[in-house]
Amino acid sequence: MSYHKTIKYLDYCEEGKRLKNAGVWKVEQRDGTIAMEVILRDLPYGKETQKDVILQTAGQEHLLGKMKLVGGNGVFTCRWDESPEKQEEWEKIIVPLDEDCYVVGIWQAQRERAKKKETEEVSMEGDELEAEAIPLDAENVSEDVNVLNMINAQNKIAEEKWQHLWGIYPHIKPYGDDREYLSVRPADFLIFQEESYRKVNNSFLMHGYYNYGHLILARIRRQAEYAYYVGAPGSFFEREKQVAIMFGFESFECEKEPAQAGDFGYYMMRVRL
């Protein structure tokens, strides 16, 4: 018996701009059968109506059925013995609402293709990446010098990438003081290196995103270099802290230290740009 479950998050958009989280898209695979569930919540759309649910694959659109929306909420389910299209060709699911309003969810395969393209583009940027690729046992080069070159190259690349992200991603000041972070979503994990990109599947991280509609990306000075962290929003409780540690989070940051029970803040996990 084989079983696999995937959960994707949906966005409500107007005129091509994402405005808020809109719900979840669940896909379960069990012994060749695929069950899909699309759940929409709290849409700014009060009409009681039925809307198309469309699966887009490699540029083609497949009408899966209609969803009933009542007060901005709705649930759509369908099941196949075999997928109508190969899942590796899935791109997105779309629920059109009005002329310029829609809900969209991106499938994993599209993000992986985009990540591969991004990697290819970065590899052509210049000599900085050449330094990162120098093998540790290169002839006539000591291991210590090689490692130092790699670290310096990685730090330079990360710093340049951070400056680029700072100019294009929305900023957020959750505490009303000078601390300023970037607001990111799971779909934005394409910007991370491979091992950090996989953290998009972290259940604790996704729980925070689903409850609050955003994550933060922070740059923090650590001695002679910067470290980069993703923060999952939540309230501080000792039990919650222990669960966060189990899922790889290192600390909790809030408005005032030390954190007290019930304080809002972010559970922080280190990532690599």
Side-chain angles (χ1 to χ4, degrees):
M1 176 178 178
S2 62
Y3 176 79
H4 181 71
K5 183 176 182 179
T6 305
I7 299 178
K8 305 298 175 186
Y9 290 86
L10 302 170
D11 292 329
Y12 171 74
C13 303
E14 292 183 1
E15 298 180 345
K17 297 180 180 179
R18 176 193 178 273
L19 298 184
K20 66 187 294 290
N21 178 262
V24 295
W25 173 20
K26 301 179 182 179
V27 177
E28 293 185 347
Q29 300 169 266
R30 190 190 304 269
D31 294 337
T33 298
I34 294 181
M36 179 185 294
E37 184 176 34
V38 178
I39 303 173
L40 301 185
R41 297 172 178 163
D42 301 325
L43 293 179
Y45 191 86
K47 301 177 184 179
E48 181 173 336
T49 184
Q50 291 191 352
K51 294 297 181 181
D52 293 339
V53 179
I54 299 170
L55 178 67
Q56 184 172 323
T57 64
Q60 298 182 346
E61 293 187 347
H62 307 269
L63 178 61
L64 301 180
K66 288 187 176 292
M67 168 188 287
K68 183 177 181 180
L69 283 175
V70 180
N73 301 297
V75 178
F76 170 82
T77 60
C78 59
R79 182 183 299 270
W80 312 283
D81 289 333
E82 294 182 358
S83 171
E85 294 292 333
K86 294 180 180 180
Q87 281 188 271
E88 58 266 26
E89 296 180 358
W90 288 12
E91 292 185 353
K92 63 182 70 173
I93 199 162
I94 304 172
V95 181
L97 300 175
D98 283 326
E99 183 177 354
D100 295 319
C101 304
Y102 59 91
V103 171
V104 63
I106 306 299
W107 188 250
Q108 181 77 14
Q110 187 188 53
R111 292 206 294 266
E112 289 178 343
R113 289 196 295 272
K115 179 178 183 298
K116 181 178 179 181
K117 181 179 178 181
E118 179 189 72
T119 302
E120 292 172 349
E121 291 173 350
V122 171
S123 68
M124 299 174 64
E125 285 183 356
D127 295 336
E128 293 88 354
L129 289 181
E130 295 290 338
E132 185 179 5
I134 298 175
L136 293 181
D137 58 353
E139 186 176 359
N140 298 325
V141 181
S142 73
E143 183 173 336
D144 288 343
V145 172
N146 236 344
V147 171
L148 182 59
N149 287 340
M150 289 178 62
I151 293 174
N152 289 337
Q154 290 169 354
N155 289 342
K156 184 176 182 180
I157 293 168
E159 173 63 17
E160 291 176 351
K161 196 170 187 179
W162 171 262
Q163 295 300 330
H164 177 67
L165 297 175
W166 189 259
I168 61 176
Y169 275 79
H171 295 195
I172 184 172
K173 289 188 174 183
Y175 308 122
D177 54 22
D178 291 338
R179 285 174 289 180
E180 190 170 8
Y181 309 98
L182 298 182
S183 177
V184 297
R185 301 175 298 147
D188 299 322
F189 277 39
L190 290 169
I191 63 180
F192 300 145
Q193 294 192 34
E194 179 67 27
E195 68 273 18
S196 296
Y197 168 73
R198 291 196 296 267
K199 292 176 181 178
V200 72
N201 297 314
N202 187 293
S203 298
F204 191 94
L205 183 96
M206 300 307 291
H207 176 73
Y209 172 74
Y210 183 71
N211 284 338
Y212 292 90
H214 76 282
L215 305 169
I216 62 169
L217 178 61
R219 183 179 70 163
I220 299 175
R221 188 82 178 185
R222 292 284 184 258
Q223 296 181 350
E225 62 182 21
Y226 287 107
Y228 302 90
Y229 290 83
V230 162
S235 297
F236 180 82
F237 294 100
E238 190 61 33
R239 183 176 179 180
E240 193 85 353
K241 172 187 172 183
Q242 296 305 319
V243 174
I245 292 173
M246 291 174 58
F247 278 90
F249 290 82
E250 300 176 10
S251 61
F252 181 84
E253 181 177 319
C254 59
E255 184 173 4
K256 297 180 179 179
E257 302 291 346
Q260 303 296 316
D263 284 352
F264 171 79
Y266 293 86
Y267 291 91
M268 309 294 284
M269 172 188 289
R270 189 163 182 171
V271 293
R272 294 183 62 196
L273 291 184

